[in-house]
Amino acid sequence: MLLRRVIDHVEAQNWTAVALDFVIVVMGVFIGIQVSNWNDARALREREEVYLEQLLIDLESDRLTGERGVSSANSVDAAAEALLAVLQGDPEGSNVDDAELMRILPYAGYAYLPQGNATTYNEMISTGALGLMESVELKRAFGEYYARLSAGRQWDALLREEQFAYRAAIRGLLTREQFAWARAHAALTPEELPPAPEFDRAEFLERARGRPEIIDSLRSMGAVQQRLRDDSRDMAARAEALAERVKTELND
């Protein structure tokens, strides 16, 4: 229709109408391209928002992991201090009853290593979706965040070695039944503990005090818990701060 009209206007030498038809064609093409670009930009923005919302879920997971790590380090430290008091004959050790002593023996050498959740970030890298992130500053912040999490894990093997050394030091001090009971109720407070298996405290102390490596390992584990506490606290704080930046980006 439009082409036929242009031809008619040319044959009639109606140049004003030809010019007007040309403007209409150009404007139509321009508007069509712009609409297509707007639709593409909106689709990309929607995909970015989906990824940002998934990253928020991962960051919340990291924050909780960090808080759990701090709590675990504090709890294990308390168990180690109580066990040291018992083994060294300190007055505070008399407050630790047999059930609590059984519970804290394996728990005092526990190490909770905080692992960040990089599922969405790794997916964005592998699929090229990281380019969807419009903010260069936010993209850089995520890169620095996950690089720091990865760098912090370079000491995990050494921390595990300390844990294994403690496990070796206490090996055989509890029977299989006692050890299973202690593991099953490791997270409980003394008031929450159910009846414990039979336990000969005097025999246990005689054998345990004959192993000075236990005390050495407990003291060494104090440095391990401090490292884990610092890593966990740092993870929680950074995850929370980065999550706030993501929320700001989503609200803009």
Short mmCIF file of all heavy atoms in Angstrom, two decimals, residues 48-86:
data_model
loop_
_atom_site.label_atom_id
_atom_site.label_comp_id
_atom_site.label_asym_id
_atom_site.label_seq_id
_atom_site.Cartn_x
_atom_site.Cartn_y
_atom_site.Cartn_z
N GLU A 48 18.64 -10.11 34.60
CA GLU A 48 19.58 -9.65 35.62
C GLU A 48 18.92 -9.67 37.00
O GLU A 48 19.53 -10.10 37.99
CB GLU A 48 20.05 -8.23 35.30
CG GLU A 48 21.04 -7.70 36.34
CD GLU A 48 21.29 -6.21 36.20
OE1 GLU A 48 20.50 -5.54 35.51
OE2 GLU A 48 22.27 -5.72 36.79
N GLU A 49 17.67 -9.23 37.07
CA GLU A 49 16.96 -9.20 38.35
C GLU A 49 16.79 -10.61 38.91
O GLU A 49 16.90 -10.82 40.12
CB GLU A 49 15.61 -8.52 38.19
CG GLU A 49 15.71 -7.02 37.95
CD GLU A 49 14.35 -6.37 37.76
OE1 GLU A 49 13.34 -7.11 37.72
OE2 GLU A 49 14.31 -5.12 37.65
N VAL A 50 16.53 -11.58 38.04
CA VAL A 50 16.39 -12.97 38.49
C VAL A 50 17.70 -13.44 39.11
O VAL A 50 17.73 -14.05 40.19
CB VAL A 50 15.99 -13.89 37.31
CG1 VAL A 50 16.11 -15.35 37.72
CG2 VAL A 50 14.56 -13.59 36.87
N TYR A 51 18.81 -13.15 38.43
CA TYR A 51 20.12 -13.56 38.96
C TYR A 51 20.45 -12.83 40.26
O TYR A 51 20.99 -13.43 41.20
CB TYR A 51 21.22 -13.32 37.93
CG TYR A 51 21.37 -14.45 36.94
CD1 TYR A 51 21.10 -14.27 35.59
CD2 TYR A 51 21.78 -15.72 37.36
CE1 TYR A 51 21.24 -15.31 34.67
CE2 TYR A 51 21.92 -16.76 36.45
CZ TYR A 51 21.66 -16.55 35.11
OH TYR A 51 21.81 -17.58 34.22
N LEU A 52 20.14 -11.55 40.32
CA LEU A 52 20.42 -10.80 41.54
C LEU A 52 19.62 -11.34 42.71
O LEU A 52 20.13 -11.41 43.84
CB LEU A 52 20.11 -9.31 41.33
CG LEU A 52 21.08 -8.54 40.42
CD1 LEU A 52 20.60 -7.10 40.24
CD2 LEU A 52 22.49 -8.56 40.99
N GLU A 53 18.39 -11.72 42.46
CA GLU A 53 17.56 -12.31 43.53
C GLU A 53 18.12 -13.65 43.98
O GLU A 53 18.10 -13.99 45.18
CB GLU A 53 16.11 -12.45 43.05
CG GLU A 53 15.40 -11.11 42.92
CD GLU A 53 14.07 -11.21 42.20
OE1 GLU A 53 13.75 -12.33 41.72
OE2 GLU A 53 13.36 -10.20 42.12
N GLN A 54 18.66 -14.44 43.03
CA GLN A 54 19.29 -15.70 43.40
C GLN A 54 20.57 -15.45 44.18
O GLN A 54 20.88 -16.18 45.14
CB GLN A 54 19.58 -16.52 42.15
CG GLN A 54 18.32 -17.04 41.45
CD GLN A 54 18.64 -17.77 40.15
OE1 GLN A 54 19.75 -17.69 39.64
NE2 GLN A 54 17.67 -18.47 39.62
N LEU A 55 21.32 -14.43 43.78
CA LEU A 55 22.54 -14.08 44.52
C LEU A 55 22.21 -13.63 45.94
O LEU A 55 22.96 -13.92 46.88
CB LEU A 55 23.29 -12.97 43.79
CG LEU A 55 24.04 -13.40 42.52
CD1 LEU A 55 24.47 -12.17 41.72
CD2 LEU A 55 25.24 -14.27 42.86
N LEU A 56 21.08 -12.96 46.10
CA LEU A 56 20.65 -12.55 47.44
C LEU A 56 20.41 -13.77 48.33
O LEU A 56 20.76 -13.77 49.52
CB LEU A 56 19.36 -11.73 47.35
CG LEU A 56 19.49 -10.21 47.26
CD1 LEU A 56 18.11 -9.57 47.20
CD2 LEU A 56 20.29 -9.65 48.43
N ILE A 57 19.82 -14.82 47.75
CA ILE A 57 19.59 -16.05 48.51
C ILE A 57 20.91 -16.66 48.94
O ILE A 57 21.08 -17.10 50.10
CB ILE A 57 18.77 -17.05 47.66
CG1 ILE A 57 17.37 -16.49 47.39
CG2 ILE A 57 18.69 -18.40 48.36
CD1 ILE A 57 16.55 -17.34 46.43
N ASP A 58 21.89 -16.68 48.03
CA ASP A 58 23.21 -17.23 48.36
C ASP A 58 23.89 -16.39 49.44
O ASP A 58 24.54 -16.94 50.35
CB ASP A 58 24.09 -17.27 47.11
CG ASP A 58 23.62 -18.30 46.10
OD1 ASP A 58 22.73 -19.11 46.43
OD2 ASP A 58 24.16 -18.31 44.97
N LEU A 59 23.76 -15.08 49.36
CA LEU A 59 24.38 -14.20 50.35
C LEU A 59 23.74 -14.38 51.73
O LEU A 59 24.43 -14.35 52.75
CB LEU A 59 24.28 -12.74 49.91
CG LEU A 59 25.16 -12.35 48.72
CD1 LEU A 59 24.81 -10.94 48.25
CD2 LEU A 59 26.64 -12.43 49.08
N GLU A 60 22.45 -14.58 51.75
CA GLU A 60 21.77 -14.83 53.03
C GLU A 60 22.25 -16.15 53.62
O GLU A 60 22.46 -16.26 54.84
CB GLU A 60 20.26 -14.85 52.83
CG GLU A 60 19.45 -15.22 54.07
CD GLU A 60 19.61 -14.22 55.21
OE1 GLU A 60 20.15 -13.12 54.98
OE2 GLU A 60 19.16 -14.54 56.32
N SER A 61 22.45 -17.14 52.75
CA SER A 61 23.00 -18.41 53.21
C SER A 61 24.39 -18.22 53.80
O SER A 61 24.73 -18.79 54.84
CB SER A 61 23.05 -19.40 52.03
OG SER A 61 23.75 -20.58 52.39
N ASP A 62 25.21 -17.39 53.15
CA ASP A 62 26.56 -17.12 53.65
C ASP A 62 26.51 -16.39 55.00
O ASP A 62 27.33 -16.67 55.89
CB ASP A 62 27.35 -16.27 52.65
CG ASP A 62 27.76 -17.08 51.42
OD1 ASP A 62 27.52 -18.30 51.41
OD2 ASP A 62 28.30 -16.48 50.47
N ARG A 63 25.59 -15.46 55.11
CA ARG A 63 25.47 -14.72 56.39
C ARG A 63 25.13 -15.67 57.53
O ARG A 63 25.74 -15.62 58.61
CB ARG A 63 24.40 -13.63 56.27
CG ARG A 63 24.31 -12.73 57.51
CD ARG A 63 23.15 -11.76 57.40
NE ARG A 63 21.87 -12.46 57.45
CZ ARG A 63 21.28 -12.89 58.59
NH1 ARG A 63 21.87 -12.68 59.76
NH2 ARG A 63 20.12 -13.49 58.55
N LEU A 64 24.19 -16.56 57.28
CA LEU A 64 23.81 -17.53 58.30
C LEU A 64 24.95 -18.50 58.60
O LEU A 64 25.16 -18.88 59.75
CB LEU A 64 22.56 -18.30 57.86
CG LEU A 64 21.27 -17.47 57.74
CD1 LEU A 64 20.14 -18.32 57.18
CD2 LEU A 64 20.89 -16.90 59.09
N THR A 65 25.67 -18.89 57.55
CA THR A 65 26.83 -19.78 57.74
C THR A 65 27.88 -19.10 58.61
O THR A 65 28.46 -19.72 59.51
CB THR A 65 27.45 -20.16 56.38
OG1 THR A 65 26.51 -20.92 55.63
CG2 THR A 65 28.72 -20.97 56.57
N GLY A 66 28.12 -17.81 58.35
CA GLY A 66 29.08 -17.07 59.15
C GLY A 66 28.65 -16.97 60.61
O GLY A 66 29.46 -17.17 61.52
N GLU A 67 27.40 -16.68 60.84
CA GLU A 67 26.89 -16.59 62.21
C GLU A 67 26.98 -17.95 62.91
O GLU A 67 27.32 -18.03 64.10
CB GLU A 67 25.45 -16.09 62.21
CG GLU A 67 25.32 -14.63 61.78
CD GLU A 67 23.88 -14.14 61.80
OE1 GLU A 67 22.98 -15.00 62.00
OE2 GLU A 67 23.65 -12.93 61.61
N ARG A 68 26.69 -19.00 62.16
CA ARG A 68 26.79 -20.36 62.71
C ARG A 68 28.24 -20.68 63.06
O ARG A 68 28.52 -21.34 64.07
CB ARG A 68 26.24 -21.36 61.70
CG ARG A 68 26.02 -22.75 62.25
CD ARG A 68 25.42 -23.66 61.19
NE ARG A 68 24.15 -23.15 60.70
CZ ARG A 68 23.93 -22.76 59.45
NH1 ARG A 68 24.90 -22.83 58.55
NH2 ARG A 68 22.76 -22.31 59.09
N GLY A 69 29.17 -20.20 62.22
CA GLY A 69 30.58 -20.45 62.47
C GLY A 69 31.06 -19.77 63.74
O GLY A 69 31.82 -20.36 64.52
N VAL A 70 30.63 -18.53 63.97
CA VAL A 70 31.00 -17.82 65.19
C VAL A 70 30.44 -18.54 66.41
O VAL A 70 31.15 -18.76 67.41
CB VAL A 70 30.49 -16.37 65.15
CG1 VAL A 70 30.72 -15.68 66.50
CG2 VAL A 70 31.17 -15.59 64.04
N SER A 71 29.18 -18.92 66.33
CA SER A 71 28.55 -19.63 67.45
C SER A 71 29.25 -20.96 67.73
O SER A 71 29.48 -21.32 68.89
CB SER A 71 27.07 -19.87 67.12
OG SER A 71 26.45 -20.62 68.14
N SER A 72 29.60 -21.68 66.66
CA SER A 72 30.27 -22.97 66.83
C SER A 72 31.64 -22.79 67.48
O SER A 72 32.00 -23.53 68.41
CB SER A 72 30.42 -23.66 65.47
OG SER A 72 31.20 -24.84 65.59
N ALA A 73 32.41 -21.82 67.01
CA ALA A 73 33.74 -21.59 67.57
C ALA A 73 33.65 -21.24 69.05
O ALA A 73 34.45 -21.73 69.87
CB ALA A 73 34.45 -20.47 66.81
N ASN A 74 32.68 -20.41 69.42
CA ASN A 74 32.51 -20.05 70.83
C ASN A 74 32.13 -21.26 71.67
O ASN A 74 32.64 -21.46 72.78
CB ASN A 74 31.44 -18.97 70.97
CG ASN A 74 31.89 -17.63 70.39
OD1 ASN A 74 33.08 -17.38 70.24
ND2 ASN A 74 30.93 -16.78 70.07
N SER A 75 31.23 -22.08 71.14
CA SER A 75 30.76 -23.25 71.87
C SER A 75 31.87 -24.28 72.05
O SER A 75 32.05 -24.85 73.13
CB SER A 75 29.57 -23.87 71.13
OG SER A 75 29.09 -25.02 71.80
N VAL A 76 32.63 -24.52 70.97
CA VAL A 76 33.73 -25.49 71.05
C VAL A 76 34.82 -24.99 71.98
O VAL A 76 35.40 -25.76 72.75
CB VAL A 76 34.29 -25.78 69.65
CG1 VAL A 76 35.51 -26.68 69.73
CG2 VAL A 76 33.23 -26.45 68.78
N ASP A 77 35.09 -23.69 71.94
CA ASP A 77 36.07 -23.12 72.85
C ASP A 77 35.67 -23.34 74.30
O ASP A 77 36.51 -23.65 75.16
CB ASP A 77 36.22 -21.61 72.59
CG ASP A 77 37.46 -21.30 71.76
OD1 ASP A 77 38.31 -22.19 71.58
OD2 ASP A 77 37.57 -20.15 71.30
N ALA A 78 34.39 -23.15 74.60
CA ALA A 78 33.90 -23.35 75.96
C ALA A 78 34.08 -24.80 76.39
O ALA A 78 34.47 -25.09 77.54
CB ALA A 78 32.43 -22.95 76.05
N ALA A 79 33.82 -25.73 75.47
CA ALA A 79 34.01 -27.15 75.77
C ALA A 79 35.47 -27.45 76.03
O ALA A 79 35.82 -28.21 76.95
CB ALA A 79 33.49 -28.00 74.62
N ALA A 80 36.35 -26.87 75.23
CA ALA A 80 37.80 -27.10 75.41
C ALA A 80 38.28 -26.55 76.74
O ALA A 80 39.09 -27.19 77.44
CB ALA A 80 38.56 -26.46 74.25
N GLU A 81 37.80 -25.37 77.12
CA GLU A 81 38.19 -24.79 78.40
C GLU A 81 37.73 -25.65 79.56
O GLU A 81 38.46 -25.85 80.54
CB GLU A 81 37.61 -23.38 78.53
CG GLU A 81 38.26 -22.34 77.62
CD GLU A 81 39.73 -22.12 77.97
OE1 GLU A 81 40.08 -22.24 79.15
OE2 GLU A 81 40.51 -21.83 77.04
N ALA A 82 36.51 -26.18 79.45
CA ALA A 82 35.99 -27.05 80.51
C ALA A 82 36.81 -28.33 80.61
O ALA A 82 37.13 -28.80 81.71
CB ALA A 82 34.52 -27.37 80.25
N LEU A 83 37.17 -28.91 79.46
CA LEU A 83 37.95 -30.14 79.46
C LEU A 83 39.35 -29.88 80.02
O LEU A 83 39.88 -30.71 80.80
CB LEU A 83 38.04 -30.69 78.04
CG LEU A 83 38.79 -32.02 77.87
CD1 LEU A 83 38.22 -33.11 78.77
CD2 LEU A 83 38.77 -32.46 76.41
N LEU A 84 39.96 -28.77 79.65
CA LEU A 84 41.26 -28.43 80.20
C LEU A 84 41.20 -28.29 81.71
O LEU A 84 42.12 -28.72 82.43
CB LEU A 84 41.77 -27.12 79.57
CG LEU A 84 42.41 -27.21 78.19
CD1 LEU A 84 42.63 -25.82 77.61
CD2 LEU A 84 43.73 -27.96 78.26
N ALA A 85 40.12 -27.67 82.20
CA ALA A 85 39.98 -27.50 83.65
C ALA A 85 39.93 -28.85 84.36
O ALA A 85 40.52 -29.05 85.42
CB ALA A 85 38.72 -26.69 83.95
N VAL A 86 39.21 -29.80 83.76
CA VAL A 86 39.11 -31.14 84.35
C VAL A 86 40.47 -31.83 84.34
O VAL A 86 40.94 -32.37 85.35
CB VAL A 86 38.08 -31.99 83.60
CG1 VAL A 86 38.12 -33.44 84.07
CG2 VAL A 86 36.68 -31.43 83.78
#
